[in-house]
Amino acid sequence: MADFAENIIWLKNDYLNKNDTRVITFGGSYGGMLAAWMRAKYPGLVQGAIAASAPVWMFPGMSQDTAGPYRLITEVFRDAQSDCPVKISKSWDVITKMGGTKTGRSQLSEIFKTCKQLDSDGVFALSNWLNGMYFDMAMVNYPYPTSFLADLPAWPVKEFCRRTNVSDDVIMAIAAGAQMYSNYTGQLKCLDLDSDPAGDLGMTGWDFQACLEMILPISSDKSVDMFPDEQFDLKSYVAYCEERWNSAARPFWLKYYFGGGDGYDYSGYSNIFFSNGRLDPWAVGGTAIIPDEDFCLSDCPNVLIEDGAHHLDLRSSNPADPESVLNARKLEVEAIKRWTSRTATKVEL
């Protein structure tokens, strides 16, 4: 962030030669967090921020709802087709059971069209891949075809669930849906569990941050969602990360430095527009959990986009955009006009 601040100063003073230029930061997801924090920490340089799908309150010491993302994903799949989460929930134990025998592993390899014959580690990798697929599919559940994380059709969650209807066999059904995510264009010959359809998004750097400073505690609870039980344990996670990266973790640093609940709030901040999509798993870690704007000093619009997934409002305009995202964009434009206006507005304290 300090680098961005230096860059803004250079742009205003040396490149534009206009020191009074107003600056608005924009960002979605991690970029949304940075946009909000830039306004918070450099209010003299940044006049306002548009922070889309930014889970700013999902770090240790802030969010108590660690199972929220997986519960929301389950709701999104249920909205698409009522029995879809039931099929997914049943599949985990079946995959584990089939993975316990050589014959079962061979069948899984054939059904999912994996590039390599699955061994025990491969079965575990398949389960992890499916877990990530459901999470990512909910994130990019857009109303038109995209290639953000993978080549996908419009409303991919709905299409996935529709494809699971091809068979009453739960594994055949899940594999049919998974083919849509992994090979929608039909150009791939097999499923490579070692590759990411999104390509290289700089995940090594993100893994370092997510391990040592931006720890996101997420759990799953099969009594309320469609995923196997998995409880997040901060102590063991920190131990793993410190060994992996040979560096000291700071799990509570974000809470103390930027704020985010439990006495460390945003009451001194202003001019930050928070938007979250109702279909986005990360919404439960953002300001969507707060019903009004009282969490900041002044002018922090807090909009929940009814038909929006992950930062849909920051994507290019599309004829299929729902009314809810069009309304959010109008509000964002209005906020930017306020913040860039030369007319000062007195804040009543």
Side-chain angles (χ1 to χ4, degrees), residues 29-339:
S29 196
Y30 173 45
M33 291 187 270
L34 291 179
W37 294 335
M38 280 294 296
R39 165 61 187 172
K41 292 303 180 182
Y42 296 95
L45 290 176
V46 176
Q47 278 65 56
I50 305 296
S53 298
V56 290
W57 288 352
M58 201 169 181
F59 301 102
M62 302 183 192
S63 174
Q64 305 302 315
D65 189 11
T66 60
Y70 282 120
R71 188 175 63 252
L72 192 148
I73 293 169
T74 303
E75 292 172 2
V76 170
F77 276 77
R78 185 179 294 116
D79 287 346
Q81 184 175 299
S82 60
D83 65 341
C84 198
V86 176
K87 298 176 185 179
I88 294 170
S89 180
K90 290 179 178 179
S91 71
W92 304 112
D93 287 342
V94 179
I95 289 173
T96 299
K97 183 177 180 180
M98 292 178 68
T101 67
K102 184 177 180 180
T103 299
R105 291 191 293 269
S106 179
Q107 291 173 335
L108 287 172
S109 301
E110 182 178 354
I111 293 170
F112 283 95
K113 298 182 171 62
T114 59
C115 295
K116 300 177 183 178
Q117 281 291 311
L118 296 177
D119 55 14
S120 297
D121 290 339
V123 173
F124 181 74
L126 174 62
S127 292
N128 280 345
W129 184 88
L130 290 169
N131 189 307
M133 176 192 70
Y134 299 130
F135 203 114
D136 289 350
M137 202 184 306
M139 281 177 53
V140 296
N141 195 27
Y142 298 133
Y144 47 80
T146 62
S147 56
F148 176 32
L149 296 181
D151 289 312
L152 294 173
W155 300 118
V157 170
K158 185 175 183 179
E159 177 62 16
F160 170 91
C161 293
R162 186 189 69 80
R163 294 194 181 202
T164 64
N165 297 329
V166 300
S167 175
D168 292 332
D169 181 277
V170 67
I171 297 303
M172 295 293 290
I174 295 300
Q179 277 290 309
M180 182 275 297
Y181 182 83
S182 65
N183 193 20
Y184 180 62
T185 62
Q187 297 178 354
L188 300 180
K189 295 181 179 179
C190 59
L191 171 60
D192 185 356
L193 297 175
D194 297 323
S195 69
D196 190 333
D200 183 9
L201 297 178
M203 292 308 294
T204 300
W206 174 249
D207 286 346
F208 177 85
Q209 283 187 289
C211 245
L212 301 179
E213 290 185 345
M214 304 188 71
I215 297 173
L216 295 162
I218 301 177
S219 302
S220 52
D221 179 355
K222 67 181 181 181
S223 68
V224 295
D225 61 47
M226 62 187 189
F227 296 89
D229 283 334
E230 185 173 352
Q231 292 300 310
F232 180 85
D233 182 82
L234 181 61
K235 184 177 180 180
S236 60
Y237 185 79
V238 166
Y240 158 77
C241 289
E242 290 185 337
E243 180 179 358
R244 171 174 168 77
W245 294 105
N246 193 30
S247 299
R250 299 189 292 174
F252 299 102
W253 175 75
L254 285 172
K255 170 184 172 180
Y256 300 141
Y257 193 72
F258 295 113
D262 192 23
Y264 299 87
D265 56 32
Y266 280 16
S267 60
Y269 297 168
S270 64
N271 295 12
I272 305 173
F273 191 111
F274 290 101
S275 65
N276 287 279
R278 187 187 65 84
L279 309 179
D280 181 18
W282 296 112
V284 299
T287 55
I289 61 176
I290 303 173
D292 52 41
E293 300 175 23
D294 292 343
F295 60 90
C296 85
L297 177 65
S298 174
D299 205 356
C300 293
N302 185 21
V303 175
L304 181 64
I305 303 172
E306 181 66 22
D307 303 300
H310 203 49
H311 51 60
L312 175 60
D313 47 326
L314 293 191
R315 293 183 62 84
S316 299
S317 178
N318 189 286
D321 282 332
E323 191 67 24
S324 56
V325 76
L326 297 179
N327 291 335
R329 288 172 182 158
K330 290 178 182 177
L331 294 173
E332 289 166 352
V333 170
E334 292 172 4
I336 293 169
K337 289 179 178 178
R338 288 196 303 273
W339 302 334

